[in-house]
Amino acid sequence: MGTLGRHARHFIDRLKACGVTLWQMLPLGPTHADGSPYQCLSSHAGHPGLIDLELLREDGWLVASEHSLKAAFEGFVRHAGAGERKAFSSFLEEESAWLEDYALFVAIREQQGCRAWLDWPDALRERDEHALRKARVDLHERIDQVRFEQFVFFRQWRALRDYAHAANVLLFGDMPIYVAHDSAEVWARPDLFTVDEHGHAYEVAGVPPDYFSATGQRWGNPLYRWERHEADGFAWWKARFATQLKLFDLVRIDHFRGIEAYWSIPSECETAMNGQWVKAPGDELLTALNEHFGSLPVVAEDLGIITEEVTALRQRHGLPGMRILQFAFDGGADNPYLPHNHTQDSVVYTGTHDNDTTLGWWNGLELVDREHVLSYMGEPVEPMPWALIRLALESVANLVIIPLQDIMELGAEARMNTPGTTEGNWAWRFEWSQWSAAQSEKFGSEVELYGRLVMPDA
């Protein structure tokens, strides 16, 4: 999956050379077996698979013949200096509010054959204090290892972020609105989610039928018991944002629509068709977050069924929305995704991780639809995907995000995710040879041509 080491730095170097000042990425948390970054084992932890072992060798914690984080931890115990040990202790203290539950959760989950916590023995599932004390003793070696892995992840991430900032590149993260049912957060605080005394969800999240699926999307995440979050001043949300702001300069709230009202599906329903919209305290949440952190550097993912109330909430709190060009050519001239309807307080994309690549999208259009797109664009001479990239850069939107697949002119084989499906997603990877110097030069020229060399305020 790549690491936080030299390849990540080289990626930043390539962005700098193109004049790009913003790198958006998928969520970074530890995933389940399906690899989806939107169903993580924790909403705070980093994926240990991203840790770069070469950097650990440079630290002196791992020798050339060793290739595991377990060996790195043993090397740390033997060789770490006083400053490194102090940094480790400080990290454990500063992150204890989430780290202790997460480390224990991972250790027990592995002991239980990676079964979901719903399938653990009753005492562990329901957090019997005696059972947890025993687990902490029995599993202390693995718990210490997990703590170390998170220390290393955040240490390497800080170094990468510093490297990016030195190159005038800001990091743009992605925060799923919901957390996975099988996660440390739901196990540790079931009182904050729509689960019963045995941990089973009685209402789950999703969206009704839409562009992507005729039966909607039943995500299966438990929903929030918003009244309990509101009662304690949204403390859980404040802690979650605190972690995100340690990692990123800008954060996208995935499915922002669910903060204003959410689609509640009875857990016994197999699809998302039989749900209902339920009001959420979005205004109160965003007000509390702004008061706690100051002005939030947040982008609202406002795609799908968007009501006037959702738009009003976003605008009231000064949050940019999203405009996707692949959605722009359905309907008439009032389509909000068409560039002549864009506003400065938005982020424009050719497509996202949930779309086909631009070339794949273009190749899948009927002839009449292609003619309509070309007519709107003034019959461009350059081929796809560059014509759509140029259209994005021409927008009045303050920010533009171009998927790497489009810069590399890749087709449908490079699609990252197809919503509503569970197989074949999240597996696309690129080779440096696919990203040519000519493509970088062309993209950099267009970034400069449209005055996007300097990062504006979102």
Side-chain angles (χ1 to χ4, degrees):
M1 66 177 65
T3 74
L4 305 180
R6 63 185 179 88
H7 285 291
R9 286 170 169 74
H10 184 51
F11 187 82
I12 291 169
D13 294 341
R14 295 290 291 267
L15 297 183
K16 180 181 179 181
C18 293
V20 173
T21 49
L22 194 66
W23 174 10
Q24 183 175 356
M25 59 199 71
L26 297 172
L28 298 173
T31 64
H32 293 78
D34 65 357
S36 171
Y38 293 92
Q39 297 284 351
C40 289
L41 294 168
S42 168
S43 60
H44 293 274
H47 199 312
L50 293 170
I51 293 172
D52 188 83
L53 298 182
E54 287 300 321
L55 293 178
L56 296 181
R57 292 187 178 95
E58 292 176 11
D59 290 326
W61 304 340
L62 199 63
V63 300
S65 60
E66 296 173 327
H67 304 281
S68 73
L69 291 173
K70 184 176 186 297
F73 182 41
E74 293 169 353
F76 174 83
V77 171
R78 291 193 304 269
H79 304 301
E84 293 166 333
R85 294 178 188 278
K86 181 179 180 181
F88 185 34
S89 296
S90 297
F91 176 80
L92 297 183
E93 181 178 352
E94 292 168 5
E95 308 300 335
S96 62
W98 65 267
L99 182 57
E100 293 309 302
D101 281 322
Y102 171 69
L104 180 59
F105 173 82
V106 169
I108 296 174
R109 190 172 186 272
E110 291 176 358
Q111 180 199 49
Q112 295 294 319
C114 291
R115 294 187 297 167
W117 66 269
L118 292 174
D119 300 323
W120 295 354
D122 292 355
L124 293 173
R125 182 185 68 227
E126 297 170 21
R127 295 179 62 85
D128 174 77
E129 189 52 43
H130 175 74
L132 295 187
R133 279 200 300 270
K134 185 176 186 305
R136 290 188 185 100
V137 173
D138 293 344
L139 303 173
H140 71 275
E141 290 184 359
R142 180 57 180 142
I143 290 171
D144 286 345
Q145 173 74 36
V146 174
R147 290 170 175 151
F148 171 75
E149 289 170 359
Q150 290 306 303
F151 166 67
V152 171
F153 175 90
F154 279 84
R155 187 172 187 261
Q156 291 192 357
W157 184 265
R158 282 194 301 272
L160 183 67
R161 187 175 178 180
D162 289 344
Y163 189 89
H165 287 178
N168 195 35
V169 174
L170 301 183
L171 302 183
F172 184 1
D174 196 353
M175 189 179 78
I177 184 173
Y178 298 117
V179 298
H181 194 169
D182 184 23
S183 67
E185 280 74 28
V186 182
W187 174 66
R189 293 295 309 272
D191 56 304
L192 296 177
F193 302 90
T194 55
V195 297
D196 62 23
E197 65 273 20
H198 302 300
H200 296 282
Y202 53 84
E203 292 176 319
V204 298
V207 290
D210 61 9
Y211 173 91
F212 290 113
S213 174
T215 58
Q217 298 177 48
R218 184 190 184 280
W219 299 329
N221 309 71
L223 295 163
Y224 296 109
R225 291 179 177 175
W226 281 112
E227 72 285 355
R228 298 189 179 185
H229 288 270
E230 194 167 6
D232 70 358
F234 301 102
W236 184 90
W237 282 92
K238 290 173 182 175
R240 192 180 185 197
F241 263 94
T243 297
Q244 294 302 306
L245 295 177
K246 288 177 183 177
L247 296 170
F248 301 111
D249 304 292
L250 189 64
V251 178
R252 186 187 85 137
I253 300 181
D254 183 56
H255 193 58
F256 177 81
R257 196 256 177 277
I259 289 177
E260 194 281 326
Y262 55 92
W263 188 246
S264 176
I265 307 166
S267 61
E268 63 269 18
C269 294
E270 294 183 0
T271 74
M273 298 179 72
N274 298 315
Q276 62 176 336
W277 290 111
V278 181
K279 182 73 174 176
D283 222 356
E284 293 81 358
L285 170 64
L286 292 172
T287 297
L289 291 173
N290 275 302
E291 289 177 350
H292 185 76
F293 292 105
S295 181
L296 279 178
V298 162
V299 169
E301 188 267 280
D302 55 348
L303 308 176
I305 301 172
I306 301 301
T307 64
E308 292 180 2
E309 290 82 1
V310 176
T311 300
L313 176 65
R314 177 180 67 77
Q315 293 177 338
R316 193 157 53 246
H317 291 273
L319 306 181
M322 291 174 56
R323 299 293 179 265
I324 312 301
L325 292 185
Q326 288 186 25
F327 297 160
F329 303 100
D330 296 330
D334 60 346
N335 185 316
Y337 299 112
L338 283 169
H340 69 260
N341 292 321
H342 290 182
T343 54
Q344 285 185 304
D345 64 334
S346 57
V347 186
V348 63
Y349 296 73
T350 51
T352 74
H353 61 275
D354 283 335
N355 297 101
D356 203 341
T357 67
T358 291
L359 195 56
W361 164 79
W362 178 252
N363 290 337
L365 291 180
E366 299 290 340
L367 179 60
V368 64
D369 296 321
R370 288 192 185 188
E371 290 174 346
H372 173 61
V373 173
L374 293 175
S375 177
Y376 180 87
M377 299 173 71
E379 305 295 339
V381 175
E382 60 189 342
M384 291 293 178
W386 291 104
L388 205 69
I389 292 174
R390 182 184 291 271
L391 192 67
L393 294 170
E394 289 174 345
S395 170
V396 298
N398 277 348
L399 297 179
V400 174
I401 302 291
I402 307 298
L404 182 61
Q405 292 98 318
D406 287 355
I407 296 172
M408 296 195 301
E409 306 171 46
L410 299 178
E413 75 283 353
R415 182 169 186 162
M416 180 63 78
N417 180 51
T418 302
T421 66
T422 57
E423 296 181 0
N425 297 318
W426 315 114
W428 177 75
R429 301 292 183 267
F430 80 94
E431 300 287 342
W432 286 114
S433 60
Q434 294 175 285
W435 187 357
S436 71
Q439 290 165 339
S440 287
E441 183 177 353
K442 180 174 177 59
F443 186 55
S445 295
E446 297 200 355
V447 168
E448 182 177 10
L449 180 64
Y450 292 104
R452 294 188 176 276
L453 286 175
V454 179
M455 173 74 176
D457 293 330

